[in-house]
Amino acid sequence: MIEVRHVSKVFTTMDIGTVTALAEVSLTINDNEFFTLLGPSGCGKTTLLRLIGGFETPSTGEIRIDGVDVAGLPPHKRRVNTVFQSYALFPHLTIAQNIAFGLEMLKWSKADIDVRVKEMLALVRLEGYGERNAAQLSGGQQQRVALARALAPRPSVLLLDEPLSALDLKLRKGMQVELKRLQRETGITFVLVTHDQEEALAMSDRIAVMSAGHVLQIGRPEDIYDDPNCCFVADFIGEANLIPGALLGRANVNIVTIRPERVTVGPGDAPAARIAGTVAEVTFIGPDTLYDIGLKDGTRMRARVRGDRGRFHAEEPVTVHWPDEAERELAS
Amino acid sequence: MSGGTPVQRPIQGFDWRKTPGLGVATWVFLAFLYMPLFVLVVYSFNANNLVTIWTGFSLRWFVKVLHNPDIRDAAINSLVIAVVATILSTLLATAAALALERGRNFRGFGTVNGLISLPLVVPEVVVAITTLIFFSSIGLNLGLGNLIIAHTVFCIPFAVLPIRARLKDMGGAYEEAGRDLYADEWRLFRRVTLPLIAPAIGAGGILAFVTSLDDFLISLMVSGPGTTTLPVYVYGMMRLGVTPEVNAISTLLLVLSVSLVVLALLLGRRARSRD
Ligand SMILES: Nc1ncnc2c1ncn2[C@@H]1O[C@H](COP(=O)(O)OP(=O)(O)O)[C@@H](O)[C@H]1O
Ligand SMILES: [Mg+2]
C-alpha cells in the first residue's frame, strides 16, 4: 500500500524561479491495484511517480510504502521498480543480463537468477531473445524487456511512466491488454502514468485525475465517467456538454454536465423539453448520428443518437431531452 | 497557384557554400596546411645527405634513427612520461568529469568549471615558465618525476573533454535505472557508469598521450640533463643543421600521433552508436 499525505513539490530553477509541480497531494494506492495517474502534460504526474520511486524528495508531506515512511530512503532501498519512458535498457548488456541486473544487485544465487530470467522472458513472450542486445529489438520488444527487468526482483510496486506513448496505435492496444495480464498474473501493484484518457479508462482499477499539480478526483473509471466532480474532469474524460445553469433556469447552479450519448433530440414542438435549439451540424458516423446544436445564448451542445438516420437537418429547430439521472450539477 | 494568396517562398538564409571562389580557397588552404607535412614525409625516405635534394628512395635515415642511442634514450623518456602522465591525468580527469556532470551543485561550481579548462587557453609559454619557477622555488627535483607532474597537469583538460561530453550525452537515465534496480553508488559506478563511459575514457587517454608526446615548450623548460624528451632532442639536433634524420623522427611521431587520434575518434563513435 502506498500512502501519499499532503505532498507538495516545489522546484527551484535558475531561469524561471520556482515551479510548484505538486500541491498538497494526498492519495492511497491499495495492494494489487492497477492505479492510474491521468492528466495533461505538465500536471505533475512524473514528479509524483519520481517521488514514490525515490528519485526526488518531497518539499513537504509524507509518503509511506507498506506502512513505512520512505523519507530519506534512496531508490535502491525501496521495493519499487520503474519502467522508464525511454526504457533505459543498458546498452552494454544483453537482454538476459539486463533482466538479471536487479537480481544480481539483490545478491540472488546464480542458479536462482538463471531460473528467474527464463521465467521473465517467458512471461513477456521473448523466449530465445536472451542473448541479443537491446539495439537489435523493436520498440515493442524493448518495452517488454523493460517490463521484465522491472518485474524480475518481485517489487511490491511497479511504476510505469507513459510506457506506451512511444509505440504506434496498434502495438499500443496490444500492450494495454498485455499490461493488464501481467498485473493480474504477478499480483503486483501497478502505478501507471498517462495523458491518454481512453488508456486510463480501459486499464485501471482506479484513476486519479490531475491538473496543474492538484489531484481533482479519484475513483473507479465508471464513477469518474458517470460522476465527474468538476468541469475539468468531465471535459478531460470522454466528451461532455457543459451548460450554464442559468440557461436551464437554475440560477443557483453553475454548470450542468451531460454526456452526448445520454442526450436525445426531438422535433421543435415536442413537449417537456429541457431546452430548445437549432441544429448547426449533422454528422453521420455509422451506428450513431452526431448533432451539434446551437442553444439560444450561443452555447453549443452535442448529442450522439443511436440508430438515428439523420432525422433532423441543419438549421432545423429542435428540442433537447435527457433523463434526470444523466445530468450532474457542478460547482466549478 | 491561383486563388489570390501570395506564393510562399521558402526562407533562404545566408548559404556559405555558395560563396564565390570557395572551392579554390579551400584547396589553397589545404595545400598550405599539408604540403609541408607531405614534403617532410617524402624527404624522410630520401637517400641523399641533404634534406632538400632528392636522389632516390632509401630507409637509411630510419635505420640511423633507430640505432642512435641518444634518440633512443629521448624516445624512452618521452614514452615513460607520456604513459605515466596519461594514466594519472585520465584518472583525475574521470573523477573531475563525474564531479562536474553528476555531482551535486556545490558552491564554486562555476569557478571549478572554468579552472578545469583554463589551461586550454593560457599561453603555453606562460605555463612552461610558471611551472619551472614553481618547481625550482619549492626545490622539487625528481628528474623525470618533474616532467611527469607537469605533463599530468596539462593533460587533464584534454582528457576531461570526451569524458564529460559522453556523460552529458548519455544523460542520467541509465544510472537512474541502475539505482532503481538496487545498485548502491559503488556498484552503480562499476556496473553501469564505467562500462558506458569506458570508450570515452579511452579516447581521453589517447588525447592525453598524444598531447604529452607532442609537448615541446613545457618539456624544454622543465627537463634537465638525462631527462630530455624526443621533441626537445629533435630541436637540439636542428640547431646543428637539419639532417634527414630529423625528417625520419618526425615521420615516426606523425604516424604515431595520427593513428592514435584516429583511434580516439573511433572509440568515441563506437560509444555513441551503441545507444
Ligand atoms: N527537475 C525539474 N526542475 C524544474 N522543474 C521541473 C522539474 N521536473 C518537473 N518540473 C516541472 O514540474 C511540472 C510538472 O512536471 P511533470 O511532473 O514532468 O509533469 P507530467 O509528467 O505530468 O507531464 C512542470 O511544470 C515541469 O516543468
Ligand atoms: Mg511526464
Side-chain angles (χ1 to χ4, degrees), chain A residues 113-182:
Chain A
I113 291 178
D114 286 347
V115 171
R116 184 69 176 155
V117 168
K118 278 221 179 66
E119 211 174 285
M120 295 317 294
L121 282 170
L123 184 70
V124 297
R125 306 185 183 168
L126 284 173
E127 296 102 328
Y129 284 81
E131 295 317 307
R132 303 217 192 164
N133 270 17
Q136 294 166 276
L137 301 189
S138 70
Q141 289 169 331
Q142 292 186 23
Q143 161 80 81
R144 299 215 295 270
V145 176
L147 274 164
R149 182 176 74 172
L151 285 169
R154 298 203 178 90
S156 69
V157 182
L158 187 74
L159 307 176
L160 305 108
D161 192 356
E162 312 234 2
L164 308 181
S165 63
L167 306 179
D168 60 48
L169 185 68
K170 205 171 145 218
L171 217 48
R172 197 149 70 218
K173 296 287 178 215
M175 275 310 290
Q176 287 181 8
V177 177
E178 192 89 338
L179 275 178
K180 271 304 270 184
R181 176 182 70 84
L182 285 173

Side-chain angles (χ1 to χ4, degrees), chain A residues 286-302:
Chain A
D288 297 340
T289 303
L290 301 181
Y291 290 102
D292 269 318
I293 297 163
L295 305 183
K296 61 174 178 263
D297 74 336
T299 306
R300 283 291 183 98
M301 246 196 109
R302 176 165 271 214

Side-chain angles (χ1 to χ4, degrees), chain B residues 183-205:
Chain B
D184 52 38
E185 288 306 308
W186 169 243
R187 285 190 297 172
L188 183 69
F189 178 70
R190 275 281 302 113
R191 300 288 308 275
V192 178
T193 314
L194 189 59
L196 287 175
I197 64 172
I201 294 178

Side-chain angles (χ1 to χ4, degrees), chain A residues 40-47 85 161-162 193 195:
Chain A
S41 175
C43 72
K45 308 179 297 288
T46 297
T47 303
Q85 191 166 4
D161 192 356
E162 312 234 2
V193 158
H195 61 263

Side-chain angles (χ1 to χ4, degrees), chain A residues 9 78 90 152 223 231 236 275 299:
Chain A
K9 178 68 187 176
R78 301 185 183 198
F90 302 126
D223 296 342
C231 290
F236 194 74
I275 194 166
T299 306

Side-chain angles (χ1 to χ4, degrees), chain B residues 1-266:
Chain B
M1 285 213 195
S2 55
T5 49
V7 179
Q8 285 260 319
R9 220 177 279 193
I11 297 163
Q12 291 220 330
F14 169 67
D15 187 353
W16 57 269
R17 276 164 301 200
K18 292 190 179 142
T19 316
L22 184 72
V24 178
T26 308
W27 284 113
V28 170
F29 170 75
L30 287 177
F32 186 74
L33 208 58
Y34 287 108
M35 271 311 276
L37 283 177
F38 180 72
V39 170
L40 178 138
V41 171
V42 166
Y43 275 88
S44 66
F45 296 101
N46 189 2
N48 199 297
N49 275 341
L50 291 170
V51 182
T52 45
I53 300 165
W54 179 267
T55 44
F57 180 83
S58 158
L59 291 176
R60 62 182 274 225
W61 299 112
F62 288 93
V63 175
K64 227 178 146 193
V65 164
L66 296 179
H67 283 96
N68 181 333
D70 291 341
I71 292 178
R72 212 186 44 221
D73 287 349
I76 288 173
N77 279 346
S78 272
L79 284 177
V80 169
I81 294 165
V83 168
V84 180
T86 297
I87 293 169
L88 294 178
S89 63
T90 310
L91 282 176
L92 290 167
T94 306
L98 283 169
L100 290 170
E101 289 299 326
R102 292 290 189 270
R104 280 174 195 284
N105 234 335
F106 54 90
R107 190 197 271 275
F109 177 92
T111 315
V112 173
N113 200 9
L115 283 177
I116 287 251
S117 29
L118 198 60
L120 295 173
V121 293
V122 171
E124 203 188 337
V125 66
V126 175
V127 178
I129 292 167
T130 48
T131 307
L132 175 65
I133 294 172
F134 177 67
F135 280 163
S136 60
S137 68
I138 65 168
L140 194 72
N141 208 341
L142 302 173
L144 272 189
N146 279 19
L147 277 158
I148 288 171
I149 292 170
H151 279 227
T152 301
V153 170
F154 74 73
C155 284
I156 288 174
F158 292 95
V160 164
L161 286 176
I163 304 173
R164 270 191 89 170
R166 172 64 180 149
L167 280 169
K168 191 171 281 196
D169 215 64
M170 76 185 204
Y174 297 124
E175 285 148 302
E176 284 201 342
R179 281 203 182 87
D180 189 64
L181 293 163
Y182 311 105
D184 52 38
E185 288 306 308
W186 169 243
R187 285 190 297 172
L188 183 69
F189 178 70
R190 275 281 302 113
R191 300 288 308 275
V192 178
T193 314
L194 189 59
L196 287 175
I197 64 172
I201 294 178
I206 289 171
L207 285 181
F209 188 83
V210 172
T211 309
S212 164
L213 207 60
D214 279 354
D215 177 71
F216 170 68
L217 258 181
I218 296 171
S219 302
L220 178 70
M221 298 278 184
V222 179
S223 67
T227 60
T228 310
T229 65
L230 198 52
V232 175
Y233 183 81
V234 170
Y235 177 71
M237 280 172 80
M238 302 231 322
R239 305 215 319 199
L240 307 174
V242 182
T243 71
E245 241 177 316
V246 172
N247 291 32
I249 298 172
S250 307
T251 303
L252 290 173
L253 275 175
L254 188 69
V255 169
L256 184 63
S257 297
V258 170
S259 12
L260 285 174
V261 169
V262 168
L263 186 63
L265 286 177
L266 290 179

